[in-house]
Amino acid sequence: MNVILGVLAVLVAAGAVRALSEALPFAHHRRDRHAETTHEEPADFARIGRAVASGTASAGDLHLRLRPILREVAIDGLRRHGVELDADAARAQERLAPATWELVRPDRPAPADAFAHGLPAEQLDLVLDDLEALLR
């Protein structure tokens, strides 16, 4: 039963990440550029889905796959509020929830144990809610 709930949570989170990425200008630019060169549907949804699934599974995948996507969303959302994530970390930290800041902060180290548990789905939901609020 827990496995089913876990998979369902990952699918919901993947849908939320997709919705966020679709709302961002960089996603539209990348999709348009990809469509022009390949005349195919972009694989962003699959890439984000894999990043969400792996990011919730292991700390290494969270850091290497999911974190860059979350940082892109945070960078865009913060810019809408006149804050640069890397250049003005103190103001960025004030705008973000602690769990979000911990994932996207510029100086976040790689995990000591890449095979340790990743991000719980409930925490990912909170991070996605925080990032979504930046985009409003």
Side-chain angles (χ1 to χ4, degrees):
M1 184 67 158
N2 286 339
V3 173
I4 294 171
L5 291 175
V7 170
L8 182 60
V10 167
L11 291 174
V12 169
V17 170
R18 181 176 188 221
L20 282 173
S21 70
E22 289 296 319
L24 299 175
F26 70 84
H28 296 293
H29 174 70
R30 186 173 35 206
R31 181 179 61 240
D32 293 344
R33 189 175 65 222
H34 180 78
E36 288 173 5
T37 59
T38 64
H39 305 291
E40 296 175 5
E41 285 294 312
D44 279 348
F45 182 67
R47 179 179 68 90
I48 291 169
R50 284 190 306 273
V52 168
S54 62
T56 58
S58 80
D61 282 336
L62 168 65
H63 189 77
L64 295 174
R65 289 184 175 184
L66 186 55
R67 181 177 180 264
I69 295 168
L70 297 176
R71 275 186 53 85
E72 285 183 43
V73 175
I75 287 168
D76 187 63
L78 288 167
R79 278 189 184 142
R80 292 176 184 209
H81 297 278
V83 178
E84 291 293 325
L85 177 63
D86 294 333
D88 195 358
R91 284 184 58 212
Q93 185 176 6
E94 291 172 4
R95 300 275 321 188
L96 298 171
T100 306
W101 173 250
E102 179 55 36
L103 284 174
V104 302
R105 66 188 173 104
D107 62 344
R108 184 178 198 265
D113 180 3
F115 298 105
H117 289 292
L119 189 65
E122 305 82 38
Q123 190 173 0
L124 179 59
D125 286 342
L126 295 174
V127 169
L128 294 176
D129 289 345
D130 187 38
L131 293 174
E132 185 178 13
L134 282 176
L135 300 174
R136 292 186 195 139

